[in-house]
Amino acid sequence: MGAEAVDYSVFVDHDAAGHAQMNLVVEGISGDGCIEEIERGLTALPGVVRARLNYTNHRLSVAWGAETSADAVVARLSDLGYRAHPFAMPAADEEAERAKWLLRCLGVAGFAAMNVMLLSVSVWAGNVSDITPETRDLFHWVSALIALPAAAYAGQPFFRSALAGLKARKLNMDVPISLGVLLALGMSVVETALSQEHAYFDSALMLLFFLLAGRYLDHAARQRTRAVAANVAALRGEFAHRLDAEGCPVQVPVQALRPGDLILVPAGERVGADGVVVDGRSNMSEALVTGETLPRTVAAGDAVHAGSLNGEGALTLRVTAGGDQTLVDEVQRLLDGAMTARTAYVRLADRVARAYAPVVHVTALASALFWIAMGASLHDAVMIAVAVLIITCPCALALAVPAVQVVATGALFRSGILLRSADMIERLAQVDTVVFDKTGTLTLPDPVVRLPEGTNPALVRLAARLALSSHHPLAAVLARQAEGAPVPEATEEAGAGVRAVIDGREARLGSLAFCGLDAPADLPASASLIAFRLGDDGFVAGIDQALRADAEDVATALTGMGLSLVILSGDRPDAVAPVARALGITDARPGLKPAAKIAAIADMKAQGHRVLMVGDGLNDAPALAAADASLSPVEGAALTKAQADAEFLGTKLGPVRDALACARSALKRIRENLWIALLYNLIAVPLAVGGYVTPLVAALAMSGSSTLVTVNALRAGVPRAGGMPAAQPGKARS
Amino acid sequence: MNVLIYLVPLALALGLAGLFAFLWSLKAGQYDDMDGAARRILSDEDVRK
């Protein structure tokens, strides 16, 4: 499509100075030279006013004046050896904004904690030596001056979440945190006003600082994986051929298509948008949409869906919006229902908080009553109760989960899993049933060539070169094996095949009848057949879906981990059965519509199973949303990936096993951390009730338990010996 | 202890200066590309010009 114009206008916007600007994702960035190479190469282009590459997320921002164009920029990058794809920056990037906000809060809390600690240490040292009450009060007031505004600002993430939780009548971890911070500050102000010895300003700020650090790191780790996922999506970004007023095709990104546009879908290309066929006749492979591998014949008036692969005929489509897209509408409706079920999950930390907060508050009240009964003054009794609440403010408890999540997200990222949702690790670790979709999930998204035993490899190479001249999708699969130039002077006969003359002998590639060959017995029944004939020699090859290279190993490993495996497929029984047999999966259910998949998953959940759904097709999207946890290969449909908790990269299924193994080890660490936090409370609470907790003890206890929890979390990144075996190469079934 | 009258405000002023420097650098996008910054420092681009 080299000669066809490309329309990038949907990605281009204008800055304040009137320069056009565009963001691109650049592929192949590695090593030291490429920042310079790209930036210098682009600014050398006349008209380019700015080019800045972000090495961390591989995104390039370019601005240019009137002298150049988006095409020139992309062409220049391609000359430099980098494949780039325009990237639509989300208008308001909420995630990035939140990360910056957390970092600002962290900065404020850090500043305040340091300065207040400086004053507190002086007071602690002075209390055991010769500080005058006047100086101590001055230091306490200065601490209050720093701590109150700082906590009001830096505490917002916790206060807001606590308020939201209380409004929804749910107790989350932020409620005891907010309460602890507010009580510590309030009590300290009262004590300072009464010219007392102890103030807890430093504890409150240190608590905020530790917790914000945990939250920020957790957020940043997920933001990084999301950025990679967005880049992969942009690099696979699809273009459609839109027909302009004169009927000339112009390449436009699929995002720019509007209802009513006419698009041309050449043979062998994916359909970029839902539409109705206006002209042409072809076979549509809707594997990505419905999971069905047999193509469907479409002609004028038929609806086709985005993601379908066009067969041998070119089609003209009119793009539709909503309306009569029964399948997509049905998927969307099912999705809305399934998503409400998902939100019912309560995070482990919040479940702990629900049990923890009442116990702590009752303990505080009981200790106040105890001291009043023992004859202490009301002031002393209240002070002890508040000290109990401060010491039990769940610093270690609240760090227990995010600290492990940061480490586990990083470990998963290194094994090719891009985590999307925060609580996925917990949900994933509790899974006992893994449901797979077949097409595109257990099998590779692209079909492979299967040859009968004893086929001459030289003939196959020749056939592949001849296949380069054909537009037929089956030939295109064969053509991927081609080495060298296409066979010269090949002619294509529509509906039959390609013919050419090689070394004086006639060569034909196409249907079995066209080549005069019979189907061999040893090809799988599910394969589509293509024949090649050279003189009297020839062979028949099958084009078939292939299992992912390590699917068998992964299935064995998952069974070994005590998981039961199920296949829910939209495909025919005779296509599903061989896959299930090869993987040793007994529970394989073919021919399921999206609603039937949801029903099957709901059924398993009703029996008390926790279900992980792994799927890629549009028809899997509602099932992904309905399951307890969900994974999707990065090649999956966009709507489907949006429902998945995580995406995995690469052509192997190994990440599914790694994700489960890593999540289980992470959950173990989380549980250990919760025990450590509990143990800390068992030691600290009696001290507080006994009235032995001074601000110094509180500071030591808080930082000590937080450090312990964080160090334990680091172990989540270290795979246990034999826990995560390296993916086995070989055993490919192609 | 009269020395506290100017030492405490001085300490606070220094701390605040650090805080504002951090907030400014965050706003200026200095934390947007940490890996890139580590590599750009090795670039000789500015020397060659």
Side-chain angles (χ1 to χ4, degrees), chain A residues 158-245:
Chain A
F158 307 99
F159 302 153
R160 283 187 193 178
S161 153
L163 270 182
L166 287 178
K167 267 188 197 153
R169 300 187 171 276
K170 279 183 187 140
L171 210 52
N172 60 24
M173 194 54 100
D174 290 330
V175 175
I177 292 172
S178 304
L179 204 62
V181 169
L182 291 176
L183 274 176
L185 291 174
M187 164 192 168
S188 302
V189 171
V190 171
E191 289 288 273
T192 307
L194 295 174
S195 194
Q196 293 288 321
E197 219 175 296
H198 295 317
Y200 291 90
F201 294 113
D202 56 294
S203 292
L205 288 171
M206 199 163 61
L207 180 82
L208 286 179
F209 179 71
F210 278 139
L211 293 180
L212 281 167
R215 296 231 170 151
Y216 169 71
L217 289 176
D218 188 25
H219 192 83
R222 248 170 312 119
Q223 210 194 350
R224 185 177 62 153
T225 62
R226 279 208 201 91
V228 174
N231 284 2
V232 174
L235 281 171
R236 293 174 1 101
E238 279 125 41
F239 280 86
H241 309 274
R242 184 168 64 190
L243 299 174
D244 61 12

Side-chain angles (χ1 to χ4, degrees), chain A residues 32 39-40 53 55-56, chain B residues 15 32-33 39-40 45 48:
Chain A
D32 291 322
E39 290 184 356
R40 195 153 14 122
L53 178 74
Y55 191 88
T56 311
Chain B
D32 289 352
D33 184 13
R39 286 172 185 273
R40 276 173 205 275
E45 184 98 327
R48 253 182 258 158

Side-chain angles (χ1 to χ4, degrees), chain A residues 16 25 91 111 235 299 309 342 461 474 508 709 717:
Chain A
V25 177
F111 150 78
L235 281 171
L309 186 65
R342 165 76 67 84
R461 280 197 295 275
L474 291 181
R508 288 178 171 217
V709 162

Side-chain angles (χ1 to χ4, degrees), chain A residues 73 123 189 203 211 229 324 473 530 535 542 627 650 701 705 715 722 728:
Chain A
V73 169
V123 172
V189 171
S203 292
L211 293 180
D324 54 345
I530 183 169
S705 62
R715 302 197 314 154
Q728 299 277 315

